[in-house]
Amino acid sequence: MCLAIPVQVKELLPDDMAKVTLDGVSKIVSTALVDDVKVGDYVVLHVGYALAKIDPEEAERTLALIREAAMGDAA
Amino acid sequence: MKYIDEYRDGSLAKDVARQITALADPARSYHFMEFCGGHTHAISRYGLEDLLPANVRMIHGPGCPVCVLPIGRIDAAIALAMRPEITLCTYGDLMRVPGSNGSSLLKAKAAGADIRMVYSTLDALQIGEAEPDREVVFFAIGFETTTPTTALALKAAIARGLGNFSIFCNHVLTPAAIQNILESPDVRKLGTIKIDGFIGPAHVSTVIGTEPYEFFAEEFRKPVVVAGFEPLDVIQAILMLVRQVSDGRHEVENQYIRAVTALGNEKAQAEVANFFELRESFEWRGLGEVPYGALRLRPQYAAYDAEKRFSMVTPAAKDNPACECGAILRGVKKPADCKLFGTVCTPDTPMGSCMVSSEGACAAHWAYGRFREKVRQVDARRAVA
Ligand code: SF4
């Protein structure tokens, strides 16, 4: 029920709406809850609304941390 | 798919799990509760429990808004939908949730009630606009993730002067539920379960941030790691929890930094605060009355509040006494402990709420877990033969 998915913004539309795609499927959603959405941004989409932007640098950092953890800095 | 596939790398997950094994003290056990159904689903689906050492165990918490909706609220919605002037709009997840005596919205629809499945509050608004002669009621449900989308629908309905649109509000709050899990009297009645830390909600936290969980870390001395829903997110969060326990720390950490900040989405919070206020108490299925566990519309929006507008009553309704959802939602029992599991109760014929949503503990175990258990049993038999 609270599941949301990352989708990419392809086009900004009037009234805080945007066209987004996921795996080639496009959808019109509301961006009214998130400021400064730009074409090319990834947003977390939940029941027709963008809830947050995905920060590409933090996403990379998380993966780097996971790789580090996998190599055993934990031990 | 970007931001999905890279967090599903199985061999990386195995490596992280090996580090968990290396770090976990073999002389003790670790019990972590994942609050969200999304995590429960990921853990079952990707078999994460099989990767973990035997002394690190996951407890499936209450975290699915559909699963915690009490039967009386479903009965109230069905009664409303049966009225000839009403069009009830609902998310698909709610259609099969069992009400009293085997009823459900799906059955009510088959019996002629005007019930429409919507994907978004925007669809419900559209129905309201397109059909001004109908009373369109949106059956609003969800945690903090979903509440802002209801708030915006209300805002739009007011702005457009939609007099035939109202909301049956069932929005619930996660911090209140976590507190209830840790300290309610029922916990003692059902038998306490040891919890060493929590995996905190991902998408709830995109809205409310990580800050509301600081209280648990401080007050109950439990570590909380807010984590994403992909398997690598979950396994990293478990490693972070084990690390906190071995360091003797109890802090709120954020694994899902790519979408969650400490303060969350303040714009969304402001919209919610404009339209909603706390209910002093609200029944959660499985948890009982949770103080300040839910929201209702502010009194100035009574005209848009279906409960007031249609004088709705929530009948007291009892769950099937054999259903163990209550104990499962608190992490005291597992789905397989329920006598009805897989016999009377299946996703096609759910008896309790845990079986309805794919994020419920019983449904997740039905879809993925029971096969793994079979495999394990066969392996074990082979091993002793
Ligand atoms: S198996 Fe069905 S009846 Fe048993 S606890 Fe789960 S949902 Fe309830």
Side-chain angles (χ1 to χ4, degrees), chain B residues 66 74 78 88-99 103-110 115-118 139 356:
Chain B
V66 176
I74 292 282
I78 293 173
L88 187 78
C89 297
T90 167
Y91 292 129
D93 311 42
L94 282 169
M95 292 298 284
R96 288 182 309 111
V97 179
S103 61
S104 69
L105 289 167
L106 196 65
K107 286 183 190 159
K109 186 177 162 77
I115 299 174
R116 319 237 187 123
M117 269 203 273
V118 292
F139 189 165
V356 176

Side-chain angles (χ1 to χ4, degrees), chain B residues 208-286:
Chain B
I208 65 171
T210 58
E211 196 139 79
Y213 300 101
E214 297 284 349
F215 171 78
F216 300 100
E218 281 161 28
E219 201 64 19
F220 297 98
R221 306 174 72 82
K222 303 283 180 201
V224 180
V225 175
V226 170
F229 286 134
E230 298 306 332
L232 279 181
D233 293 323
V234 178
I235 204 103
Q236 187 189 22
I238 297 170
L239 178 64
M240 291 163 81
L241 285 169
V242 172
R243 199 178 281 153
Q244 281 208 45
V245 172
S246 37
D247 295 351
R249 288 180 293 127
H250 40 85
E251 294 162 13
V252 175
E253 290 182 313
N254 183 6
Q255 183 279 334
Y256 199 42
I257 41 173
R258 60 188 184 276
V260 164
T261 59
L263 297 179
N265 183 337
E266 292 176 85
K267 197 174 180 184
Q269 290 166 28
E271 296 290 1
V272 170
N274 280 340
F275 296 102
F276 297 96
E277 63 181 20
L278 286 174
R279 289 184 200 253
E280 288 74 36
S281 180
F282 189 76
E283 189 194 341
W284 285 49
R285 197 185 272 219

Side-chain angles (χ1 to χ4, degrees), chain B residues 166-195:
Chain B
S166 58
I167 284 164
F168 177 38
C169 180
N170 294 276
H171 285 296
V172 283
L173 301 167
T174 50
I178 294 189
Q179 181 158 359
N180 180 286
I181 288 167
L182 286 168
E183 65 175 12
S184 85
D186 300 303
V187 168
R188 266 162 261 144
K189 211 167 56 205
L190 288 166
T192 20
I193 182 96
K194 176 172 158 313
I195 297 178

Side-chain angles (χ1 to χ4, degrees), chain B residues 53-367:
Chain B
N55 60 336
V56 177
R57 292 283 52 118
M58 301 309 295
I59 299 160
H60 311 310
C64 160
V66 176
C67 299
V68 299
L69 188 70
I71 213 165
R73 303 292 283 183
I74 292 282
D75 288 348
I78 293 173
L80 185 70
M82 294 310 279
R83 291 167 58 157
E85 73 277 24
I86 303 277
T87 295
L88 187 78
C89 297
T90 167
Y91 292 129
D93 311 42
L94 282 169
M95 292 298 284
R96 288 182 309 111
V97 179
S100 301
N101 307 320
S103 61
S104 69
L105 289 167
L106 196 65
K107 286 183 190 159
K109 186 177 162 77
D114 184 4
I115 299 174
R116 319 237 187 123
M117 269 203 273
V118 292
Y119 163 72
S120 163
T121 55
L122 300 167
D123 303 341
L125 274 177
Q126 237 165 37
I127 294 173
E129 273 185 317
E131 302 179 37
D133 299 337
R134 304 287 303 159
E135 278 291 345
V136 176
V137 179
F138 178 65
F139 189 165
I141 182 176
F143 289 129
E144 292 89 336
T145 330
T146 323
T147 318
T149 72
T150 305
L152 282 193
L154 194 54
K155 190 179 179 182
I158 294 167
R160 296 178 204 174
L162 265 190
N164 64 330
F165 182 81
S166 58
I167 284 164
F168 177 38
C169 180
N170 294 276
H171 285 296
V172 283
L173 301 167
T174 50
I178 294 189
Q179 181 158 359
N180 180 286
I181 288 167
L182 286 168
E183 65 175 12
S184 85
D186 300 303
V187 168
R188 266 162 261 144
K189 211 167 56 205
L190 288 166
T192 20
I193 182 96
K194 176 172 158 313
I195 297 178
D196 299 295
F198 286 94
I199 296 190
H203 296 138
V204 163
S205 291
T206 60
V207 175
I208 65 171
T210 58
E211 196 139 79
Y213 300 101
E214 297 284 349
F215 171 78
F216 300 100
E218 281 161 28
E219 201 64 19
F220 297 98
R221 306 174 72 82
K222 303 283 180 201
V224 180
V225 175
V226 170
F229 286 134
E230 298 306 332
L232 279 181
D233 293 323
V234 178
I235 204 103
Q236 187 189 22
I238 297 170
L239 178 64
M240 291 163 81
L241 285 169
V242 172
R243 199 178 281 153
Q244 281 208 45
V245 172
S246 37
D247 295 351
R249 288 180 293 127
H250 40 85
E251 294 162 13
V252 175
E253 290 182 313
N254 183 6
Q255 183 279 334
Y256 199 42
I257 41 173
R258 60 188 184 276
V260 164
T261 59
L263 297 179
N265 183 337
E266 292 176 85
K267 197 174 180 184
Q269 290 166 28
E271 296 290 1
V272 170
N274 280 340
F275 296 102
F276 297 96
E277 63 181 20
L278 286 174
R279 289 184 200 253
E280 288 74 36
S281 180
F282 189 76
E283 189 194 341
W284 285 49
R285 197 185 272 219
L287 296 189
E289 291 291 330
V290 175
Y292 302 107
L295 297 172
R296 64 169 168 242
L297 261 60
R298 289 188 178 278
Q300 62 263 45
Y301 303 111
Y304 294 91
D305 186 341
E307 282 180 75
K308 300 224 171 78
R309 185 171 171 142
F310 303 106
S311 315
M312 292 175 72
V313 281
T314 303
K318 286 263 170 295
D319 285 315
N320 185 321
C323 173
E324 298 277 14
C325 276
I328 290 168
L329 291 175
R330 289 174 186 277
V332 181
K333 287 192 175 161
K334 289 185 167 25
D337 297 333
C338 174
K339 283 200 286 293
L340 305 184
F341 178 84
T343 52
V344 194
C345 184
T346 68
D348 286 332
T349 55
M351 300 301 291
S353 49
C354 295
M355 192 58 101
V356 176
S357 155
S358 66
E359 293 152 50
C362 294
H365 187 63
W366 169 268

